[in-house]
Every structure is written in C-alpha cells, then in structure tokens.
Amino acid sequence: MQNLKKFLDYFSNHGQIALPAIQKTHINQQESFEELAEIVLSLAKRHLGENWIKTLVDGYLYMLIDINRSQADYERRGKYLNKSYDDVYNSVYNDSKFMDLYHWGVFVCTFAWEHHVKIYNLYRKSFLPLLNTKEGCLLDLGCGSGVWSFLTTHFLPQWTSHGIDISKKSVELSTTMAKSSGLESKVKFRESDALSFKGTKKYDAAISCFLMEHLEEPQRLLQNMASNLEARGYAFITAALTAAEVDHISEFRRESEIVSMAEEVGFRVVSMYSSAPSCHPDSQKFLPRALGLVLQKRKNDIW
Ligand SMILES: C[S@@+](CC[C@H](N)C(=O)[O-])C[C@H]1O[C@@H](n2cnc3c(N)ncnc32)[C@H](O)[C@@H]1O
C-alpha cells in the first residue's frame, strides 16, 4: 500500500481536477483497486525510478484532456474523427513523445477508472481461474506497456507470456519494464502486427485488451487470435464502445457487434460484462463504455 499512498498523496496535490474519480474508484472497488494499483505501481516505480509518480500523473492528465476533447467532438459530429490507420499512425504510434505520455496514461487508467476495475474483476474472477493448468504460455496482442502479461504471470507464476505490439516504443518500454522487475525470462515482447503475427506453436490462452477499437478491420484481430490459440483454449478481450479517442477508428455501438465477430471466427462466449462509468451525463447521446469478454475457442460448431 506504500506505493499507492504516495501516488494518491502526490495526485491530491497535482491532479486535483481528476482526484474525485480516483477516490470514488477506491471507495467503491476497494479490494480490487488496491490489489491492482499496487501491482502496476510497483512495476512503474522499478522501471521509472525517482520521478515515477510525476511521470504517471503527467501521462494520465495529458490523456484525460485528449479523451475529453475527443468525446466532446464525437458528441457533436456523431462519429469518430479518424477512420483509417494511416490517419493516426504518424500522430500516435510513430510519435515517440506522444507515446511516452500515452503509455503512462493508459497504464494509470487500468486501475483509476471504476469501469476499468470492473473489467479487471471479470479478468480476475472469470478468466484467470480457467487457466488452471500448471504451466502455459499466453499471447498478448496489442500489449502496450505489457500490463496484462505482467498481471497474468504475477497471478500464475508458472505461466509465461508473449506480448505483441506494432509500436516500437511500446516494445522498448515493456521490455525494459520486464528487465527492471527481473521478469525478462517470463515475459517477452516483440514488435509485430497483431493481425498477422504467427507464433511458432499454438498458445494456451490469449488476451487482447483495448485494441479492437484501434483497428480498421477488428474481426481480423479475433481471427488471428483464434488461429494462434489451441482448440478449447480461453481468451480474454476488451473493447471500447462509443468512446472517442484520437486513435479510435472502429466505432462499436452495440455489445452484440463484438459478440457476433467473436462467434463468427470460432469462439463461444463464456462470460461478458459491459462496464460504463456511473457518472456520465444523461443528456449526452453516447455512453462511453468498455466490454470485457471471456471466450473459448470452439473445436467444432458447438463448442
Ligand atoms: C490502448 S493500447 C492498449 C495496451 C494494453 N493492451 C492495455 O490494455 O493497457 C493499444 C495498443 O495497441 C497497439 N496497436 C495498435 N495497432 C496494433 C496492431 N495492428 N498490432 C499490434 N499492436 C497494435 C498500440 O501500439 C497500443 O500499444
């Protein structure tokens, strides 16, 4: 709890405008919030050293401004700003200054937003218990900072993970984070496209968090995930719905759109949870939210 306490102390002095939402998450989801925050903050602290809290808070506040601006614009225009990968590649994935801030912003969102902690609860209570084999290897598509790979190997110490990301910056960051926590033999990261990556063997389980909405053809991600997974292997995916960000391209309006895509490529749905912030104004047209799905790769038409 030491890291979390220091983080919240600093936040209350330097991020007051965003503090109430984090406090609300802490109160409403105390156990999960504290567990999750402590794991991710200790990874960041080991990696970033002395200025770890400032770097996290700066990234988070920068990201919040960008998200609020994008959502307001989306409410007005009724659709996302960018439609293609090319539109965002140079201003996002290939911009190392932006990616520096963005990474730490995404990292903090994992535990700061109550609706994200509820998605973590789905992962923790409905996905991880399914990986009950002693050992296994996880594929993490669009791994970003690698947070889901780190979490999985934290809770399942006999497991290893391979994280795939298209951004060189993401791969450098996650690789050095693994080294700084002494996890480099367990968690490996590689620069590659999640839509075409082929492992040398099938994976025992797969994860892809908050990548679907960044893709022009999100069904190709699920297709490639299924083709890299053992039959009857389990997968955990998350996606943002009607939630604008500068690099969100695919706009999902209904949960069923994602469920149908998953079923189409050979998954059955084991559990799902659609998680929305409770404080979103009623007057607005869109409800930005996150969907979490626990899936199993079917071996035949039925399961
Ligand atoms: C919102 S971040 C999510 C990161 C991480 N999964 C998490 O939940 O914290 C999306 C990530 O997907 C990566 N990405 C975007 N398009 C990709 C692609 N075609 N293949 C692999 N990674 C991609 C980005 O570089 C970024 O790191």
Side-chain angles (χ1 to χ4, degrees):
M1 287 287 289
Q2 269 310 308
N3 292 330
L4 179 58
K5 188 177 174 325
K6 283 186 189 152
F7 177 85
L8 291 175
D9 284 349
Y10 182 93
F11 208 100
S12 61
N13 288 316
H14 298 87
Q16 272 171 8
I17 196 157
L19 187 65
I22 295 197
Q23 286 172 326
K24 190 164 159 277
T25 309
H26 194 177
I27 291 166
N28 293 347
Q29 303 292 328
Q30 189 174 351
E31 203 182 315
S32 313
F33 174 84
E34 289 177 357
E35 173 184 271
L36 176 59
E38 202 51 46
I39 299 169
V40 302
L41 291 176
S42 62
L43 282 164
K45 182 180 171 184
R46 275 188 229 116
H47 174 73
L48 292 167
E50 203 182 335
N51 279 329
W52 67 279
I53 304 180
K54 181 177 182 326
T55 306
L56 292 180
V57 173
D58 285 354
Y60 181 61
L61 295 177
Y62 179 84
M63 190 178 167
L64 278 190
I65 293 168
D66 195 58
I67 288 174
N68 286 331
R69 196 193 298 125
S70 299
Q71 194 69 17
D73 184 54
Y74 175 46
E75 281 285 332
R76 267 195 306 276
R77 59 169 54 233
K79 56 184 183 180
Y80 289 171
L81 178 65
N82 292 312
K83 274 276 155 259
S84 81
Y85 204 70
D86 287 348
D87 288 343
V88 294
Y89 186 77
N90 284 325
S91 58
V92 181
Y93 307 122
N94 204 29
D95 179 339
S96 70
K97 185 165 177 282
F98 181 89
M99 281 311 269
D100 255 345
L101 287 157
Y102 171 96
H103 265 302
W104 298 116
V106 174
F107 203 69
V108 173
C109 292
T110 313
F111 67 89
W113 293 356
E114 186 177 357
H115 69 294
H116 276 197
V117 176
K118 290 180 178 172
I119 291 290
Y120 168 76
N121 289 339
L122 179 76
Y123 158 85
R124 186 83 168 86
K125 300 196 173 111
S126 302
F127 175 65
L128 283 187
L130 297 170
L131 313 189
N132 52 7
T133 51
K134 262 198 162 160
E135 295 175 3
C137 188
L138 176 83
L139 176 64
D140 181 0
L141 294 171
C143 58
S145 62
V147 63
W148 296 95
S149 289
F150 291 121
L151 286 169
T152 305
T153 53
H154 172 88
F155 290 115
L156 303 171
Q158 305 303 329
W159 277 60
T160 54
S161 182
H162 290 169
I164 304 300
D165 202 285
I166 205 155
S167 154
K168 188 169 189 251
K169 191 82 195 173
S170 297
V171 174
E172 281 169 7
L173 181 138
S174 48
T175 302
T176 46
M177 190 137 75
K179 280 193 188 132
S180 56
S181 290
L183 295 168
E184 66 269 42
S185 61
K186 274 192 176 184
V187 187
K188 296 194 189 303
F189 299 99
R190 186 203 284 193
E191 190 181 335
S192 181
D193 190 335
L195 305 183
S196 53
F197 171 79
K198 285 277 162 281
T200 51
K201 62 178 186 62
K202 301 275 187 198
Y203 287 87
D204 303 293
I207 282 192
S208 185
C209 289
F210 300 111
L211 173 57
M212 296 275 289
E213 60 275 16
H214 295 256
L215 303 170
E216 287 176 26
E217 297 177 285
Q219 66 278 25
R220 286 184 55 204
L221 171 69
L222 297 180
Q223 178 82 64
N224 195 37
M225 177 183 258
S227 73
N228 275 293
L229 193 57
E230 288 284 6
R232 305 253 161 85
Y234 289 100
F236 180 72
I237 64 156
T238 69
L241 286 84
T242 66
E245 284 179 35
V246 62
D247 52 348
H248 288 184
I249 295 170
S250 275
E251 183 193 345
F252 301 109
R253 293 194 170 195
R254 294 182 180 177
E255 285 71 6
S256 59
E257 294 168 46
I258 300 164
V259 169
S260 300
M261 275 183 202
E263 289 179 338
E264 206 57 45
V265 302
F267 285 109
R268 83 174 176 103
V269 176
V270 178
S271 318
M272 65 180 272
Y273 184 68
S274 178
S275 188
S278 52
C279 56
H280 202 67
D282 199 32
S283 57
Q284 301 207 329
K285 180 172 175 192
F286 297 111
L287 178 67
R289 59 201 189 276
L291 177 72
L293 287 176
V294 179
L295 304 169
Q296 183 177 31
K297 181 176 167 178
R298 297 195 312 257
K299 200 170 178 179
N300 58 45
D301 271 1
I302 313 301
W303 77 288

